[in-house]
Amino acid sequence: MNEKLHPFHIMILIYMNQTGVVIMSLPHLLAENFGYNGWLGVILISLVVNLNIFIISIVYRLGKGKSIFQIMESSLPRVITFPIYMILIGVWSMTGCMVIKNYVYIYQIMSYNTTHAMLLKLLIDIIAYLLIIKGIYTISKAATSFFWITSWMLLLQLFFIKDFEWARLTPFLFKGDTHFLTGGFIVFTAFLGYELCFMLFPYADNPKKFIKSVYKGNLITTLTYLIFCLICFGFYSFEQIRNMMYPLLDLLSYIRLPFIERIENLLFGFFLFTTIVSVVLYSWSAQETFARIVPKANKKVLAFIILTFGYIVAWFPDTLSEVGQWLQYLGYAELGVAFGLPLLLILILVIHKGAKPS
Amino acid sequence: MRTMPKAAALLLVIVIIAGCGDQRILEKQGFIQSTGYDLNGTKNDEKDNRLMITVDIPKSDPEQRMQRETLTAIAHSSKEAKILFAGQTELSLVSGQLRSTLFGVSLAKTGIWKHIDTLVRDPSISQRVKIVVVNGRAHDLLVRDYPQHPRAGQYIDRMLEKESALMSFPLVTIYDFSRDYFDDGIEPIAPIIRENKKNISFDGIALFKKDRYITKIESKQSLIFSMMKQNFKKGEISMKLGDGSKKQEYLLFSSVISNRNVKVKRSTKGNFNIQINIVVKGSVLEYSGSHELSKDYDRKKIEKRMAEYIENEAAALMATMQKHNVDSLGIGRNVRNSLSYEEWNKLDWNKEYPDADIRISARIVIKDFGKFK
């Protein structure tokens, strides 16, 4: 518990947690729900995220850096905190495992088509487990090195400048067949992950810079999404994006180096790094919550129970679209947590006029 | 910590075992390099809607004499054909190294999207697979051997790569075709090739309406077409300059850098006035006329005549495209981008296009004329 997180690491952790598999289909989701020039929808959603971070920052300020569990337990009876914790554990552990299953299923479109998906998932689960039991400090260090391993991929977008045409973007803004509300929710799931910053309250090294680095993390995510989606909208025609399930996969398969082509299998492997951070952080949060219910238990055992629970649940959805459905519903639940939990905490803190001095 | 080596060993075992699940042994794979699609039936026999599908597979086995294998099957779809192929060869066929797909012209006339759709859907197929129309039958062109050239698939592939770099013909990939197919302001194109006695040659540019082949542009006009369609560098064009009375002059314009822009105006009546401006810079390395290239005055004259030549050729091309109602240049995109969404939705560009007033003006700059006066 002595080791604290540097603001830079928090920024990277938030960014890595936000980006995951949804980026595969993000341009498609934007075109389908926001219409022409839907890539600008990224900015709208990012603003909502900023609002949410602002709400969380109020909790942080009022709570004077206390962990959310301490705030809740200080004023709520166990009868109320217990179901809240159970919901949190359920949502977080299932989100973690579904993200892996989604990654595995998309991976299987390309290779290992007939290998059992759950075997591949098990491999990723083992890596995730080894990381989770090391605690948040090591997780954030790992996330930072994963960030450097994957960040060069942004440069791959230079390949598409030659065929990029502004004319394809059209001057129409958010026109065509649009679904702002449902679409907004779906696209929002691409940004989820920032909300776990409320789990990091007790670990912040520098209280003044903590919230700032969360904003910065979200800013990096927004810029990454924005540039990537802009490239897609100018590289493909609008109707085409609406028809493509995973524009990112198609983009990757377009890359050709003088000595090699069709390197998308290799490149897709790198997305495991961004995905696994999300999985690890969600499962770690679930484990921390679980530890509140059974404070005396060994955390390694708890992490094992959570991943096993997730693994069993992950057997149920059997197709890629089912996994997508599950992830979407879990995303909605997580959205409720992201907004609902901080609001509840603010309510508690206001009633108690700030955190009691510990 | 003692559990760590054990866990690592377990992980290693699992990783290695997972590799046994889906094996691909290189020698047992047949990498399809080119696929040809033709209509099976003749025109008189319209009931037969099956396809004749041909694949060209290079072989790397040094013990075998044959450099390649070609397979042909008659089936309703390419995936069905793949199952039929499997029964004809000892290799397991994979399409990860597919480089070009050839469509017979009679099939292209009936529409090719459903065949390209399976290519787009299949994740093992590259976005860079080339689309080519064959003037004749793709099967005949693919199965033949051309003694002076590499095997057909590679021959076509290399020729396309080389020539498209010089802009003599367009390189159209699955990506290009499907992008323009879905765009509402442009129609797709593809190069056409033809089988000759000894070789294969470029035969022009196929113009599509959605996915149906409509008409073609002759190969010698393809550079003019490119000038009208896009900005590019490289390429050379030979021009026949005549001023009516005098004898004809020939000129070779090379190292061409061409830029174009399109201006759209709408008259009060609602008609479109579209102006395509082309600016071409390059060097003259061959000129058979009476003017002297080194004199500024003469050179300006030649530039003017060259511009006239390009304007005339371009106007003729434009007339053909408007007559067949194919907007292969993507003028619809410029029109779309000059309107609001509601106006564009109301407008039926298909109807407007044949009657639109489209003018082309060209300006030529002779940058240099070689190292001799």
Side-chain angles (χ1 to χ4, degrees):
Chain A
M1 287 304 137
N2 305 330
E3 286 161 327
K4 299 268 182 176
L5 297 177
H6 189 268
F8 176 76
H9 288 157
I10 291 176
M11 176 178 86
I12 300 294
L13 196 61
I14 296 295
Y15 161 74
M16 292 295 280
N17 196 24
Q18 283 185 299
T19 49
V21 271
V22 190
I23 198 169
M24 297 285 147
S25 49
L26 188 60
H28 164 79
L29 296 173
L30 287 165
E32 203 167 49
N33 295 304
F34 287 79
Y36 283 94
N37 279 317
W39 60 280
L40 283 166
V42 168
I43 297 176
L44 299 183
I45 302 295
S46 179
L47 288 177
V48 183
V49 172
N50 279 333
L51 175 74
N52 198 174
I53 298 175
F54 176 69
I55 297 174
I56 295 172
S57 78
I58 296 176
V59 178
Y60 185 61
R61 226 175 321 136
L62 290 179
K64 298 191 179 77
K66 274 175 139 192
S67 86
I68 55 167
F69 303 119
Q70 284 172 322
I71 299 172
M72 275 194 275
E73 285 163 13
S74 68
S75 53
L76 294 179
R78 228 178 128 71
V79 189
I80 300 177
T81 55
F82 181 75
I84 293 179
Y85 288 174
M86 286 314 276
I87 291 170
L88 291 180
I89 294 168
V91 171
W92 287 339
S93 59
M94 283 200 283
T95 307
C97 74
M98 283 301 158
V99 166
I100 301 183
K101 183 134 193 198
N102 199 17
Y103 177 86
V104 168
Y105 267 178
I106 296 177
Y107 194 78
Q108 284 195 312
I109 296 178
M110 296 187 301
S111 31
Y112 296 114
N113 320 56
T114 49
T115 305
H116 203 290
M118 294 310 280
L119 178 64
L120 295 175
K121 180 174 151 40
L122 181 67
L123 291 178
I124 303 177
D125 272 341
I126 292 172
I127 304 172
Y129 174 74
L130 292 175
L131 260 175
I132 295 165
I133 56 173
K134 289 283 173 194
I136 188 67
Y137 185 71
T138 313
I139 292 174
S140 93
K141 281 284 160 69
T144 312
S145 42
F146 290 168
F147 170 76
W148 294 118
I149 292 172
T150 53
S151 57
W152 61 273
M153 289 181 76
L154 286 172
L155 294 176
L156 289 175
Q157 307 193 17
L158 296 173
F159 275 96
F160 308 103
I161 288 176
K162 192 169 160 276
D163 283 297
F164 179 91
E165 272 186 51
W166 291 100
R168 262 178 227 126
L169 291 175
T170 75
F172 316 142
L173 183 62
F174 301 150
K175 291 289 166 69
D177 191 15
T178 52
H179 318 275
F180 286 108
L181 198 65
T182 48
F185 278 122
I186 297 171
V187 175
F188 204 101
T189 56
F191 280 86
L192 281 175
Y194 65 90
E195 77 285 359
L196 289 187
C197 71
F198 53 54
M199 295 297 296
L200 304 177
F201 286 171
Y203 302 97
D205 167 27
N206 185 336
K208 279 180 190 163
K209 287 186 181 165
F210 171 65
I211 290 294
K212 231 186 215 173
S213 49
V214 178
Y215 279 122
K216 278 187 200 161
N218 181 48
L219 185 70
I220 303 177
T221 310
T222 311
L223 288 178
T224 315
Y225 284 179
L226 203 62
I227 295 169
F228 162 61
C229 293
L230 169 68
I231 294 272
C232 273
F233 273 74
F235 186 73
Y236 294 114
S237 56
F238 177 68
E239 271 304 314
Q240 193 182 9
I241 300 184
R242 282 174 62 99
N243 279 287
M244 293 168 116
M245 294 287 286
Y246 304 104
L248 183 65
L249 286 187
D250 287 288
L251 275 185
L252 291 179
S253 79
Y254 190 76
I255 293 169
R256 179 169 70 167
L257 301 172
F259 49 92
I260 194 170
E261 65 178 305
R262 313 301 315 284
I263 45 174
E264 70 263 31
N265 291 16
L266 197 66
L267 295 175
F268 189 72
F270 280 95
F271 283 91
L272 178 60
F273 288 115
T274 59
T275 311
I276 202 154
V277 174
S278 320
V279 176
V280 167
L281 213 56
Y282 274 110
S283 307
W284 173 80
S285 304
Q287 172 217 287
E288 289 291 296
T289 319
F290 205 2
R292 281 286 164 172
I293 297 178
V294 272
K296 281 176 191 162
N298 185 344
K299 279 194 177 175
K300 286 182 185 177
V301 178
L302 296 184
F304 186 77
I305 294 172
I306 282 163
L307 283 175
T308 316
F309 167 70
Y311 194 77
I312 294 166
V313 174
W315 277 95
F316 290 106
D318 218 13
T319 62
L320 186 52
S321 49
E322 267 175 44
V323 174
Q325 278 286 323
W326 275 67
L327 266 180
Q328 203 177 315
Y329 293 135
L330 285 167
Y332 293 161
E334 186 58 22
L335 199 64
V337 172
F339 277 95
L341 193 60
L343 288 176
L344 175 75
L345 293 172
I346 290 176
L347 198 69
I348 294 171
L349 288 167
V350 168
I351 292 170
H352 284 257
K353 297 214 174 84
K356 292 169 197 159
S358 51
Chain B
M1 288 308 283
R2 242 182 245 165
T3 52
M4 276 306 283
K6 279 182 196 166
L10 181 71
L11 195 67
L12 192 71
V13 168
I14 295 175
V15 168
I16 293 170
I17 289 176
C20 300
D22 276 307
Q23 282 190 344
R24 306 264 194 280
I25 293 166
L26 195 61
E27 285 77 13
K28 292 182 183 169
Q29 307 293 309
F31 294 100
I32 299 175
Q33 191 170 37
S34 311
T35 318
Y37 298 85
D38 289 294
L39 275 185
N40 183 42
T42 51
K43 275 183 188 169
N44 309 326
D45 182 20
E46 283 183 353
K47 273 183 197 165
D48 190 0
N49 59 0
R50 288 179 305 169
L51 302 167
M52 179 187 265
I53 296 172
T54 315
V55 291
D56 179 27
I57 305 153
K59 281 193 161 177
S60 59
D61 195 348
E63 286 171 17
Q64 284 181 334
R65 251 187 253 157
M66 293 303 286
Q67 289 274 307
R68 67 158 176 170
E69 181 173 345
T70 52
L71 300 171
T72 305
I74 290 168
H76 286 99
S77 75
S78 60
K79 298 290 175 219
E80 187 192 337
K82 212 171 163 184
I83 297 166
L84 293 175
F85 290 145
Q88 298 177 27
T89 176
E90 78 282 7
L91 301 169
S92 40
L93 297 181
V94 288
S95 19
Q97 291 296 320
L98 185 68
R99 294 299 156 91
S100 43
T101 49
L102 283 65
F103 293 95
V105 73
S106 51
L107 174 67
K109 281 177 184 162
T110 64
I112 57 174
W113 178 253
K114 59 180 176 204
H115 309 299
I116 294 178
D117 181 81
T118 60
L119 300 179
V120 178
R121 203 172 290 280
D122 188 343
S124 69
I125 288 174
S126 164
Q127 293 262 297
R128 287 186 185 263
V129 170
K130 300 167 191 74
I131 291 176
V132 185
V133 175
V134 176
N135 194 354
R137 293 214 317 169
H139 168 259
D140 302 349
L141 189 138
L142 263 185
V143 295
R144 248 189 69 185
D145 284 319
Y146 305 87
Q148 299 178 355
H149 301 278
R151 48 196 173 67
Q154 201 174 38
Y155 179 19
I156 297 165
D157 192 56
R158 287 189 183 168
M159 187 164 74
L160 282 172
E161 294 253 339
K162 170 187 68 92
E163 284 300 294
S164 62
L166 295 171
M167 296 309 292
S168 0
F169 35 109
L171 185 74
V172 177
T173 58
I174 291 181
Y175 154 70
D176 296 299
F177 195 94
S178 45
R179 181 195 65 206
D180 291 346
Y181 173 79
F182 280 114
D183 202 327
D184 52 0
I186 190 168
E187 303 290 352
I189 56 170
I192 310 182
I193 55 174
R194 184 181 59 197
E195 183 191 4
N196 296 328
K197 270 186 188 163
K198 278 188 173 173
N199 57 11
I200 297 170
S201 67
F202 176 52
D203 196 38
I205 299 173
L207 307 183
F208 287 81
K209 179 89 190 168
K210 292 310 272 182
D211 64 334
R212 280 165 199 268
Y213 168 83
I214 301 291
T215 183
K216 72 167 186 177
I217 283 173
E218 294 300 327
S219 53
K220 58 183 178 195
Q221 286 173 311
S222 68
L223 200 79
I224 305 263
F225 178 80
S226 302
M227 287 176 181
M228 296 162 78
K229 191 176 160 75
Q230 72 220 43
N231 300 341
F232 64 87
K233 290 175 184 174
K234 271 189 182 175
E236 53 184 21
I237 181 170
S238 119
M239 297 183 193
K240 193 164 77 177
L241 310 177
D243 58 354
S245 57
K246 283 182 195 166
K247 64 168 186 158
Q248 284 182 330
E249 301 175 353
Y250 290 91
L251 182 143
L252 186 79
F253 200 41
S254 52
S255 311
V256 168
I257 301 171
S258 176
N259 287 300
R260 71 129 202 190
N261 69 57
V262 180
K263 289 197 171 113
V264 179
K265 274 185 197 158
R266 203 171 187 185
S267 69
T268 42
K269 283 180 197 167
N271 294 333
F272 286 100
N273 292 312
I274 293 146
Q275 178 76 39
I276 304 177
N277 297 310
I278 305 172
V279 180
V280 192
K281 287 182 189 173
S283 34
V284 173
L285 292 180
E286 191 179 275
Y287 172 63
S288 70
S290 51
H291 295 291
E292 277 194 46
L293 283 166
S294 55
K295 286 185 184 157
D296 282 354
Y297 177 75
D298 277 13
R299 205 166 60 241
K300 290 273 175 277
K301 258 189 175 173
I302 297 170
E303 283 177 353
K304 217 178 156 194
R305 274 211 219 150
M306 287 164 74
E308 273 167 22
Y309 171 84
I310 289 177
E311 280 169 9
N312 289 339
E313 294 280 316
L317 276 181
M318 200 65 242
T320 324
M321 284 185 270
Q322 283 187 296
K323 191 180 115 198
H324 289 97
N325 196 7
V326 280
D327 183 12
S328 313
L329 297 178
I331 293 170
R333 285 203 319 208
N334 297 86
V335 171
R336 176 185 70 198
N337 293 355
S338 75
L339 299 175
S340 72
Y341 178 71
E342 288 73 22
E343 282 172 316
W344 171 250
N345 248 357
K346 237 188 271 168
L347 182 84
D348 187 356
W349 176 240
N350 257 330
K351 262 190 191 163
E352 295 279 332
Y353 175 67
D355 303 319
D357 179 21
I358 304 175
R359 288 182 194 176
I360 298 135
S361 77
R363 193 163 70 85
I364 301 277
V365 180
I366 298 178
K367 223 167 56 183
D368 60 78
F369 43 88
K371 58 188 174 69
F372 198 66
K373 197 175 165 188

